[in-house]
Amino acid sequence: MSTEQVAVTTKKDWTSSQEVRWCPGCGDYGILLAVQQLMPELGVAPENTVFVSGIGCSSRFPYYMNTYGMHSIHGRAPAIATGVATARPDLDVWVITGDGDGLSIGGNHLIHALRRNVNLNILLFNNRIYGLTKGQYSPTSEVGKVTKSTPMGSVDAPFNPLSVALGAEASFVARTHDLDRKHMQETFKAAHAHQGASFVEIYQNCNVFNDGQFDGVTKKASRDEMMIDLAHGEPILFGNENQRGVMQGTDGFLHIVEVADVGLDRILVHDEKNEHPSLAFALARLNSDDHSPTPFGVFRNIERAEYTKSVSDQVLAASEANGPGDLNTLLASNGTWTVN
Amino acid sequence: MTDTIDRSNTADHDRVLDHLVVRFAGDSGDGMQLTGDRFTSVSASFGNDLSTLPDFPAEIRAPAGTVNGVSAFQVNIADHEITTPGDDPNVLVAMNAAALKADLHRLQPGGTLIINEDSFGERDLEKAGYVTEYGPNSEPINPLEDDSLNGYRVLRVPMTTLTKQVCEPLGIKPRDAERSKNFFALGLVSWMYTRPVEPTEEWIGKKFAKNKQVAAANKAAFRAGFNFGETTEAVGHRYEVRPATLPAGTYTSITGNTALSWGLVAAGQLAKLPITLGSYPITPASDILHELSKHKQFGIRTVQAEDEIAAVGVALGASFAGHLGITTTSGPGVALKSETISLAIAIELPMLIIDIQRGGPSTGLPTKTEASDLNLALYGRHGESPLPVIASYSPAHCFHAAIEAARIALKYRTPVILLSDGYLANGSEPWKLPDVGSLPDISVPFTTEPNHVTADGTEDFWPYLRDPETLARPWAIPGTPGLMHRVGGLEKADGTGNIDYTPENHEHMTELRAAKVAAVAADIPPTEVSGDLDADVLVLGWGSTWAAIDAAVQRRRRAGVKVAKAHITHLSPLPPDLGDLLRRYERVILPELNRGQLAHHLRGTYLIDITSVSKVQGLPFKSREIEDAIDTAVTNLSDDQRGATS
Ligand SMILES: Cc1ncc(C[n+]2csc(CCOP(=O)(O)OP(=O)(O)O)c2C)c(N)n1
Ligand code: SF4
Ligand SMILES: [Mg+2]
């Protein structure tokens, strides 16, 4: 179906009639708008698009898209979406998940979808909090975070979602944030273009239970100093005059340096196509918290065998080798005898 | 013994048996399953009716030579129709001391014991626990040398030594040759009970084609065993079990798991739908995953998921996308799938959940049979979550049960649980191949057009607008223009499918979901009663107890006891005629491989008493156990109950 000529669509075609029910000011609105605006650009049809989500504020997302969709159960969206995509590789399948949904209860499904490289676009709305259940800490909350369930501060070490994804052999890994629609759209577009599992972490503000978590990085005033835009093939530079950069030291580690001190030649050139994930991993861990320079964009984007295609290829190969299935042949396949 | 027909008019009657139960027992590494399988195949193609019971330990290799490591395969072959693998073996082949220790108590008094005497050294006896006492002062006791085997016909054969001897001229090292001793045993038993030789020799050639030396050793051992029977006087007569007169047709020997797998393949064909199976390996269900993975040419996709939750998620996602979504597992896996099954109930999509039950709770008895997941199937979900449950009753019936489960799931857009168990899964019986053309068409159409017109005249799609008869909602799959819709676990308004939390709507939807499952009853055929229809006692059964019940009822009736039986396949909803049927009898006996789960359910449903007969030993019922229950029920009838019904 995806090969057919697709009618031109507008944002309206992708917007469902359902009233959006997030808290006023929630970062989720910006993400929804970015996606609804982007879809017409992708040249796909709403009927060939499926949004599958788990449970959480973020997971309400599919109700607002005029596509096929399933608001499933907590943590299981990657597994259910794997079923949709395996049955129907012709469909565009998106997974919407949260930091609790995708990294706590559903962590297992997330890593295995990435490992298998199922053709899914996975958007993880990271607000470092459980929004829907009214404000408990999440597996991405920083140590010491005071929430309803951690009145004396959280003692759990958090996950870095990108490290998890890279560790799970993800072939496409990116980060964006809810305040920059253009950056989100570029990132989602690249995720959509990628054949295989695409993992996008979205810094998302929960203004009710964790307001301003990312302000130190993503607010306009902080951006110049704190956001590092990754561009494939370009030296990794940031600062209002690109005066700072990322360098790989002789110790093998990545360091933030003043370009003037080391020279532009020493600045690491970003290579999202690098087969080896170690540099992407180092970049993913460059920021130690939400108050230090943080890379955004596509960290990794490599090609490797996509799961649903491999599954379909085997179905085709079996049909070619054995002819289409025939029940009578099957029933007789373990040897028979005749009683007269 | 079970299933015996009196053949006293047969000419050479001491040499012709109407049936024979052989139990091959040895160490897990001794190849007993293979040996039993081979004996079964040869008997099947010879024309006997048969039934098998593989019985193996949970450990792949439990400590060699110990009782825990004993693996056995029991097969009943007969010249008439039989249903069970037999209560007590007539012949026990014990390949080592541990096998004798583990299984001697099963052997029929006076039965034949074929013993590999090479495995009765001191170490073997100690490992098997044939010792005076445990501890530093223990001394081995050899059962071959005391009088503990008096009362059996004992054939002591140095199988290991003889096998090594015949292999030596072939240049096979003694250590390798030893592994062929199971074929020696098979050869000897084949001679004693007049089984054809050629098919087994041919089979060895094919099976071990990749390793010529192993093929040669196995053939030599098989021949040696056969010749040993012929030339050694001690072995005595040959016996015969003549072919059964089965209905004309083409037969294959089938296990429950294979039949179930093929039934699923057939269901996909009959529904004209591709299949997606999501599964996570678990005994005794894994063979279905293996089997379906072999048949991709039928458009079958199999996903070995990361866990059972993912497996059922894959199945549900596939159903949403327009496939027949299936997940296969055993009890622990069903427990994990529970939340997703409830989602399937809420979003009203077809899906099959197949539970090959084993002994529980927890890991329990992974390789042994039990039917204790009935409560889990009927009730094991949060919320008001009814769904249809059906159970297969024999290995071959698993084929038809799979098709029936798929039919219900598709027609009513509901998840369906199909229960089988370890005994059916691994047991086998001859199966008269069905006429493929006579299998039902179970296809249902996808919805492709809008189904509703709004006040202003525009057409739209209501995902919860139901078929008035089946109450099924439309199945519109991704890729269908104009019918985009969202489903999910939040309560839906009937009709539009929009989120709706209003009290009346939730109650209405809860009732609708129950009514939809109840509607399945309209398709259930009348419950068949057989035996003495005017008896006071009815034996009701479900699942794999069918075989033992059938044999027991036949036996009691031959002994002049009046008894009827009925077996149900549909457990939710129950057959609509079941309540009235049960009320017609003074006593209803219900044997179950659990602590009376269906009995409890029926008491609650019909407010009638049921005599529960329970067994939870990881083993199927012996027909004798059910016969005893019948006798007790008949004896306990009060005078005014006796003959009160007709
Ligand atoms: C099985 C199960 N356990 C717990 C819950 C309760 N629950 C719903 S959402 C949620 C956490 C959501 O956090 P996150 O994924 O970060 O989403 P957010 O609301 O922050 O977008 C929890 C614990 C549930 N719905 N189901
Ligand atoms: S609780 Fe937080 S994440 Fe949830 S809708 Fe409100 S602002 Fe958004
Ligand atoms: Mg969250």
Side-chain angles (χ1 to χ4, degrees), chain A residues 28 55-59 73-74 76 97-102 105 125 127 129-133 136 138 204, chain B residues 339:
Chain A
D28 290 352
I55 298 290
C57 296
S58 35
S59 288
I73 48 177
H74 201 18
R76 317 303 172 196
T97 184
D99 42 323
D101 191 66
I105 192 166
F125 295 26
N127 53 14
I129 199 82
Y130 283 4
L132 191 69
T133 46
Q136 300 83 6
S138 90
Q204 175 243 322
Chain B
E339 191 195 5

Side-chain angles (χ1 to χ4, degrees), chain A residues 22-23 26 28 57 127 131 204 206-209:
Chain A
W22 288 307
C23 305
C26 175
D28 290 352
C57 296
N127 53 14
Q204 175 243 322
C206 166
N207 55 306
V208 173
F209 296 109

Side-chain angles (χ1 to χ4, degrees), chain A residues 16-37:
Chain A
S16 83
S17 60
Q18 300 299 299
E19 182 198 338
V20 183
R21 299 199 201 178
W22 288 307
C23 305
C26 175
D28 290 352
Y29 284 97
I31 306 171
L32 177 64
L33 183 63
V35 172
Q36 287 173 337
Q37 262 186 1

Side-chain angles (χ1 to χ4, degrees), chain B residues 384 466 491-494 500-515:
Chain B
E384 289 287 347
R466 294 166 193 285
E491 185 63 281
K492 298 283 179 285
D494 193 25
D500 188 339
Y501 301 145
T502 57
E504 300 73 25
N505 177 67
H506 177 54
E507 192 149 64
H508 176 63
M509 290 296 281
T510 303
E511 283 163 6
L512 266 178
R513 286 185 285 262

